[in-house]
């Protein structure tokens, strides 16, 4: 009888095996985007490489098929600075500017290809030290529109300081407004961006779902665990100069140790006192606020993990940065490894048993405290890895990244089914697709609201979520 019981003693080795398998894929792909700071690449024209003391501005001119247009002159003007650059067909050209601040990019319409026009012809970008501020222009065919008949586009593209923000992926992530209905190429491109966002969101959300399933706690501090991973990447890769794979391994270990410390110092004593889940949730809110102040104290400005310009790579008609493709592959491998861990190993069956019925699991010889401890360590380690990959894929980030992601993570796990790892994956992919595709038809500032609207509609039809099971009452 005892031979069939889950053996918690073997759990550390099981978890270590999963982590090592995931990092085998990470090490294999790290060399693809771990370009040393200051190095130039042959794949993209790079005149300015941002670092701790360098600020770059890059104009991008695209045609209606979102391909770069060569030979167009763009004037970059700011306080005490003016320069004229000529675009190339290989990729964006960037120049160093003297200080951070607002710069105006103006297209010289005399250098445009015949029978084309730029709308608008002027944009403003906000340059930050250690980053490249990008401004994109779309070139259309035919005569320029009558300015009195159409309202000119005056808003500047968003900074590349958050997931999905404009400028994070060089050629394909600029907030470009195209008149009329979106083309198939634009829709297909946004599908790729949605899959990227969904996979990285799933990697961060699966731990949140496991925590709720085994403890009943809705952890509001989980977003800050993601920022710990991203900020760890900034400190270890950007500042300390460590290789990506070495820093990634250290970040996962540090993230796991934070979960172990939290469980030992906070959650385990509260569990033994029988603290209700609602009060535990309030503790997570307080922990979230405390971590936000600490993270803001460490670095309040915009941070970048990889300082070199992104290298665009096209796969199946979708153009993303090479770092994004590698991050998506790593996230997918880790998610598959977690799925196998939950379904094929004893510790996975123990986790599912505790999530299903804690008392019954304890009666069969499972140590619920040991299972919960493993869940906290695994969840925070996965969140840290997700933060690192998000920071690499989306360019730059700030200390409040966790606040921006928290509602989306809750929406993903609730949409997929609370307490189910597979539900977190399905919900995250759906959220990612909805958010990115919504950007084609509504302003980018409100596209995240569409994810919450989809959540409300699905829960009205299926309250337990897509993959959740109905609970019997009475």
């Amino acid at each position: 009888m005892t031979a069939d019981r889950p053996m918690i003693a073997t759990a550390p080795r099981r978890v270590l095996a999963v982590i090592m398998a995931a990092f085998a894929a990470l090490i294999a792909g790290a060399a693809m985007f771990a370009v040393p700071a200051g190095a130039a690449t042959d794949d993209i024209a790079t005149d300015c490489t941002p670092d701790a003391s360098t600020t770059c501005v890059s104009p991008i001119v695209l045609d209606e098929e979102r391909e770069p247009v060569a030979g167009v002159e763009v004037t970059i003007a700011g306080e005490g600075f003016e320069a004229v650059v000529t675009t190339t067909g290989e990729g964006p050209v960037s120049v160093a500017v003297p200080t951070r601040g607002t710069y105006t990019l103006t297209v010289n319409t005399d250098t445009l290809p015949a029978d084309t026009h730029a709308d608008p012809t002027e944009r403003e970008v906000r340059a930050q030290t250690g980053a490249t501020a990008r401004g994109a222009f779309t070139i259309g065919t035919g005569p320029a529109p009558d300015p009195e008949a159409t309202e000119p586009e005056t808003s500047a593209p968003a900074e590349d300081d958050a997931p999905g923000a404009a400028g994070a992926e060089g050629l394909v992530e600029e907030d470009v407004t195209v008149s009329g209905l979106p083309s198939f190429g634009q829709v297909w491109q946004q599908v790729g961006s949605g899959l990227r966002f969904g996979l990285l969101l799933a990697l961060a959300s699966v731990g949140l779902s496991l925590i709720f399933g085994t403890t009943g706690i809705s952890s509001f501090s989980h977003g800050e665990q993601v920022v710990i991973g991203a900020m760890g990447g900034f400190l270890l890769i950007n500042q300390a100069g460590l290789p990506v794979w070495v820093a990634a391994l250290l970040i996962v270990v540090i993230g796991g140790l934070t979960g172990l410390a939290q469980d030992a110092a906070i959650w385990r004593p509260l569990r033994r006192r029988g603290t209700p889940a609602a009060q535990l949730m309030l503790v997570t809110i307080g922990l979230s606020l405390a971590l936000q102040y600490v993270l803001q104290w460490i670095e309040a400005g915009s941070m970048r993990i990889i300082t070199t310009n992104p290298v665009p790579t096209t796969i199946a008609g979708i153009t993303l940065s090479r770092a994004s493709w590698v991050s998506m592959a790593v996230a997918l491998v880790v998610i598959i490894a977690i799925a196998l861990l939950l379904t094929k190993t004893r510790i996975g069956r123990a986790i599912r048993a505790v999530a299903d019925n804690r008392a019954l699991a304890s009666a069969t010889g499972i140590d619920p405290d040991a299972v919960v401890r493993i869940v906290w360590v695994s969840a925070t380690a996965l969140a840290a890895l997700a933060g690192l990959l998000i920071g690499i894929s989306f360019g730059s980030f700030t200390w409040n990244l966790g606040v921006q992601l928290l509602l989306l993570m809750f929406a993903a796990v609730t949409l997929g089914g609370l307490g189910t790892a597979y539900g977190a994956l399905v919900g995250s992919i759906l959220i990612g697709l909805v958010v990115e595709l919504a950007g084609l038809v509504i302003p980018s500032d409100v596209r995240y609201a569409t994810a919450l609207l989809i959540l409300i509609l699905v829960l009205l039809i299926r309250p337990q979520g897509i993959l959740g099971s109905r609970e019997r009452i009475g």
Side-chain angles (χ1 to χ4, degrees), residues 5-6 29 217 357 369:
R5 293 176 182 173
I217 300 175
N357 191 316
D369 279 337

mmCIF file of all heavy atoms in Angstrom, residues 5-6 29 217 357 369:
data_model
loop_
_atom_site.group_PDB
_atom_site.id
_atom_site.type_symbol
_atom_site.label_atom_id
_atom_site.label_comp_id
_atom_site.label_asym_id
_atom_site.label_seq_id
_atom_site.Cartn_x
_atom_site.Cartn_y
_atom_site.Cartn_z
ATOM 1 N N ARG A 5 2.233 5.460 -2.554
ATOM 2 C CA ARG A 5 2.020 6.803 -2.038
ATOM 3 C C ARG A 5 3.083 7.740 -2.592
ATOM 4 O O ARG A 5 4.228 7.367 -2.775
ATOM 5 C CB ARG A 5 2.086 6.813 -0.513
ATOM 6 C CG ARG A 5 0.935 6.040 0.134
ATOM 7 C CD ARG A 5 1.097 5.989 1.642
ATOM 8 N NE ARG A 5 0.029 5.220 2.253
ATOM 9 C CZ ARG A 5 -0.005 4.901 3.545
ATOM 10 N NH1 ARG A 5 0.965 5.309 4.340
ATOM 11 N NH2 ARG A 5 -1.007 4.198 4.031
ATOM 12 N N PRO A 6 2.722 8.984 -2.851
ATOM 13 C CA PRO A 6 3.701 9.952 -3.330
ATOM 14 C C PRO A 6 4.823 10.127 -2.317
ATOM 15 O O PRO A 6 4.588 10.269 -1.127
ATOM 16 C CB PRO A 6 2.884 11.241 -3.494
ATOM 17 C CG PRO A 6 1.475 10.776 -3.648
ATOM 18 C CD PRO A 6 1.366 9.554 -2.799
ATOM 19 N N GLY A 29 19.708 28.262 -26.439
ATOM 20 C CA GLY A 29 19.259 29.445 -27.166
ATOM 21 C C GLY A 29 19.895 30.734 -26.717
ATOM 22 O O GLY A 29 19.780 31.746 -27.392
ATOM 23 N N ILE A 217 -4.930 30.744 -1.554
ATOM 24 C CA ILE A 217 -4.520 32.146 -1.447
ATOM 25 C C ILE A 217 -4.440 32.760 -2.840
ATOM 26 O O ILE A 217 -3.817 32.194 -3.733
ATOM 27 C CB ILE A 217 -3.142 32.270 -0.757
ATOM 28 C CG1 ILE A 217 -3.186 31.677 0.648
ATOM 29 C CG2 ILE A 217 -2.703 33.728 -0.694
ATOM 30 C CD1 ILE A 217 -1.834 31.664 1.329
ATOM 31 N N ASN A 357 -8.051 17.739 -2.244
ATOM 32 C CA ASN A 357 -8.584 17.506 -0.900
ATOM 33 C C ASN A 357 -7.408 17.376 0.056
ATOM 34 O O ASN A 357 -6.765 16.334 0.135
ATOM 35 C CB ASN A 357 -9.446 16.251 -0.868
ATOM 36 C CG ASN A 357 -10.238 16.126 0.427
ATOM 37 O OD1 ASN A 357 -9.724 16.342 1.522
ATOM 38 N ND2 ASN A 357 -11.517 15.770 0.298
ATOM 39 N N ASP A 369 2.327 20.299 4.176
ATOM 40 C CA ASP A 369 3.248 21.416 4.354
ATOM 41 C C ASP A 369 4.429 21.309 3.397
ATOM 42 O O ASP A 369 4.879 22.319 2.833
ATOM 43 C CB ASP A 369 3.753 21.467 5.792
ATOM 44 C CG ASP A 369 2.756 22.135 6.733
ATOM 45 O OD1 ASP A 369 1.926 22.926 6.241
ATOM 46 O OD2 ASP A 369 2.799 21.856 7.935
#
